[in-house]
């Protein structure tokens, strides 16, 4: 089977052509500068080609992707008919979607209904879906939502302690994000530990970071909220703060709420605390050279991650497995070690040699650790391809 995976942004579109059974990627690439001029970067293995192609809308971007996939020189398939289905990443499924689904007119209408919750991403995701429908009308399209995995949370986890009318009238609640990544890691970890019933906390630590408390494969709580701004501090996002900070800053500096939220999303997090960078490699370099602000940014990050592990161990009434994934989780032994040091009281013990691993699946705790600690590289594209293939096969 060939599944085309599409992640459409407002002016960009990422794609991969993947075999959902093996995870092999035949080709992948990126369309950029859609609506401006248009550039396609296409990769097959180590070979890369960059082409300037006019892309006045997402439709031309999708058409360019299909053209290059069947191109005599750079293509990997002979005909577009060899694409069995398209899996679209969609940011916000609101309360409408608790799983991936085949795109129908009703599904499109429901994704549109979620636009107020994902005003930047959902319209772009819809443009990607509509563009594919236009250029490949016979090929099934599947929507995979970043929020869906978290829809199993109990009300005590997802409801905010604010007046009920905002929940009932406006659907304001915790949704959580990175759901496709958390779902992939939860499933893969179950295979690795050889069990389906266990309590785990997954730490997706990257430029954006979130954590999920998972029991028997189902999400019980997660750190991000109505938007991805909540939870642990991130590359440029503040994570949790007292909401009155917004009022204070807006009043004192004459800022609008939108400007203040922009600051909390784009100019905060470890970038703000370090004053140096949002990239953890730069922070580790800075800290190693004695920069106290870089050290503080790293310490703050690990402290907040460890705090949530503790909170989720209480929420789950125990913890069997702790997993680390995404850029920092997969490649940051120092971050993992610092987080686990806080958890020694729970019987978490890392094997320092095994914890040196980068980007590979590995059990990094000692045999006598009370909690198994794993590095499990995430693969959101594979999860999208598998969900898409499953739904399409079931519908046949
Ligand atoms: P992501 O958003 O998952 O792509 O993760 C991006 C983050 O991962 C950046 O802050 C990178 O600095 C971090 N990262 C990637 N590779 C490494 C590495 N080898 N050591 C430490 N951090 C890394």
């Amino acid at each position: 089977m060939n599944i085309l995976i599409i992640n459409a942004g407002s002016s960009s579109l990422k794609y991969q052509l993947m075999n959902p059974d093996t995870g092999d990627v035949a080709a992948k690439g990126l369309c950029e500068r859609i609506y401006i001029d248009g550039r396609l970067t296409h990769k097959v293995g180590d070979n890369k080609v960059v082409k300037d192609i006019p892309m006045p809308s997402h439709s031309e971007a999708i058409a360019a992707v299909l053209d290059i996939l069947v191109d005599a020189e750079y293509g990997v398939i002979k005909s577009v008919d060899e694409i069995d289905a398209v899996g679209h990443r969609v940011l916000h499924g609101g309360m409408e979607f608790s799983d991936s689904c085949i795109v129908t007119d009703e599904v499109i209408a429901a994704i549109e209904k979620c636009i107020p919750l994902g005003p930047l991403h959902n319209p772009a995701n819809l443009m990607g879906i509509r563009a594919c429908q236009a250029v490949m009308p016979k090929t099934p399209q599947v929507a995979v939502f970043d929020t869906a995995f978290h829809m199993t949370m109990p009300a005590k986890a997802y409801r905010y302690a604010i007046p009920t009318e905002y929940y009932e009238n406006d659907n304001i609640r915790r949704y959580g994000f990175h759901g496709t990544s958390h779902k992939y890691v939860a499933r893969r970890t179950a295979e690795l530990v050889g069990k389906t019933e266990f309590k785990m906390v997954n730490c997706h630590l990257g430029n954006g970071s979130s954590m999920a408390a998972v029991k028997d494969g189902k999400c019980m709580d997660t750190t991000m909220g109505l938007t991805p701004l909540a939870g642990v501090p991130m590359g440029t996002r503040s994570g949790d703060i007292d909401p009155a900070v917004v009022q204070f800053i807006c009043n004192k500096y004459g800022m609008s709420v939108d400007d203040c939220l922009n600051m909390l999303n784009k100019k905060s997090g470890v970038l703000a605390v370090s004053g140096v960078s949002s990239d953890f490699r730069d922070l580790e370099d800075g800290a190693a050279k004695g920069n106290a602000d870089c050290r503080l940014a790293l310490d703050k990050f690990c402290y907040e991650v460890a705090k949530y592990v503790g909170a989720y161990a209480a929420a789950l009434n125990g913890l069997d497995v702790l997993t680390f994934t995404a850029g920092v989780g997969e490649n940051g032994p120092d971050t993992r070690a610092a987080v686990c040091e806080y958890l020694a009281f729970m019987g978490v013990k890392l094997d320092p040699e095994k914890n040196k691993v980068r980007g590979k699946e590995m059990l990094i705790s000692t045999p006598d650790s009370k909690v198994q600690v794993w590095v499990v590289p995430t693969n959101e594209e594979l999860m999208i391809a598998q969900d898409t293939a499953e739904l399409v096969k079931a519908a046949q």
Side-chain angles (χ1 to χ4, degrees):
M1 243 185 156
N2 286 315
I3 305 291
L4 179 63
I5 301 150
I6 298 288
N7 184 358
S10 54
S11 67
S12 69
L13 184 151
K14 289 188 205 140
Y15 64 93
Q16 286 196 9
L17 189 67
M18 184 184 271
N19 177 330
D21 301 317
T22 61
D24 289 344
V25 177
K28 63 178 174 181
L30 168 71
C31 298
E32 291 169 284
R33 301 175 61 83
I34 306 172
Y35 297 100
I36 305 167
D37 37 29
R39 173 171 301 159
L40 173 76
T41 306
H42 179 73
K43 284 187 199 161
V44 179
D46 292 335
N47 295 329
K48 180 169 121 177
V49 55
V50 181
K51 286 186 167 200
D52 288 330
I53 300 170
M55 296 174 188
S57 77
H58 283 72
S59 297
E60 289 77 11
I62 294 282
V65 170
L66 297 182
D67 280 350
I68 198 124
L69 286 172
V70 300
D71 185 86
E73 197 176 351
Y74 305 110
V76 288
I77 48 175
K78 290 202 180 68
S79 148
V80 170
D81 295 340
E82 289 176 44
I83 300 173
D84 297 287
V86 185
H88 295 267
R89 183 178 191 170
V90 180
L91 180 82
H92 219 305
M95 284 162 63
E96 306 285 327
F97 297 101
S98 54
D99 214 338
S100 307
C101 58
I102 294 187
V103 174
T104 60
D105 289 349
E106 291 75 39
V107 166
I108 290 197
I111 297 174
E112 274 173 344
K113 226 174 123 186
C114 301
I115 287 178
L117 298 168
L120 297 180
H121 293 83
N122 275 32
N125 303 150
L126 276 169
M127 282 191 273
I129 293 174
R130 289 201 170 103
C132 282
Q133 286 181 317
V135 292
M136 43 203 314
K138 290 198 197 113
T139 311
Q141 313 285 325
V142 168
V144 178
F145 301 91
D146 232 24
T147 49
F149 179 66
H150 303 302
M151 291 307 281
T152 48
M153 282 188 287
K156 63 187 175 189
Y158 71 70
R159 280 289 295 274
Y160 290 132
I162 61 173
T164 306
E165 66 208 66
Y166 298 111
Y167 171 66
E168 287 181 348
N169 299 340
D170 306 303
N171 297 341
I172 292 180
R173 49 162 278 177
R174 180 187 304 282
Y175 289 98
F177 298 86
H178 291 147
T180 315
S181 171
H182 288 297
K183 180 175 172 181
Y184 173 82
V185 175
R187 278 199 184 178
R188 183 68 195 134
T189 304
E191 289 171 0
L192 291 168
V193 302
K195 284 194 279 192
T196 51
E197 295 189 354
F198 61 99
K199 297 165 180 174
M200 73 177 260
V201 171
N202 182 38
C203 307
H204 176 114
L205 311 179
N207 190 35
S209 293
S210 70
M211 297 167 59
V214 179
K215 183 164 182 279
D216 308 341
K218 290 196 165 45
C219 180
M220 294 291 132
D221 206 344
T222 190
T223 53
M224 285 177 167
L226 175 74
T227 77
L229 184 54
V232 294
M234 312 181 203
T236 65
R237 295 191 192 116
S238 62
D240 298 338
I241 57 163
D242 178 347
V245 169
V246 174
Q247 179 197 33
F248 186 96
I249 290 176
C250 288
N251 285 346
K252 172 135 194 222
Y253 296 99
M255 262 161 105
S256 67
V257 171
D258 281 4
D259 286 345
C260 189
L261 266 285
N262 195 42
M263 178 272 286
L264 294 175
N265 268 302
K266 302 210 169 125
K267 296 184 186 160
S268 299
V270 293
L271 168 69
V273 178
S274 68
V276 169
S277 174
S278 62
D279 191 301
F280 277 68
R281 284 164 290 199
D282 297 338
L283 301 181
E284 286 179 1
D285 284 351
K289 289 180 187 135
N291 182 318
D293 294 332
C294 287
R295 181 75 270 149
L296 177 62
L298 292 168
D299 287 351
K300 165 98 186 142
F301 180 77
C302 297
Y303 174 72
E304 299 293 345
V305 172
K307 259 169 59 176
Y308 265 114
V309 179
Y312 286 168
L316 295 171
N317 192 16
L319 187 63
D320 302 307
V321 181
L322 177 65
T323 45
F324 287 95
T325 196
V328 182
E330 293 166 26
N331 299 296
D334 292 350
T335 299
R336 295 192 298 251
V339 169
C340 289
E341 213 171 290
Y342 285 106
L343 307 172
F345 80 97
M346 289 168 47
V348 171
K349 268 197 222 168
L350 277 195
D351 177 323
E353 273 308 305
K354 292 195 174 135
N355 184 40
K356 286 181 182 162
V357 71
R358 289 178 194 263
K360 275 202 301 216
E361 284 176 354
M362 175 84 83
L363 176 65
I364 59 170
S365 50
T366 59
D368 63 337
S369 176
K370 289 206 177 116
V371 178
Q372 283 193 13
V373 186
W374 284 83
V375 173
V376 181
T378 193
N379 193 339
E380 292 168 84
E381 290 76 17
L382 180 57
M383 195 70 256
I384 293 173
Q386 287 178 347
D387 269 8
T388 303
E390 265 172 40
L391 283 166
V392 170
K393 276 184 200 157
Q396 273 167 356

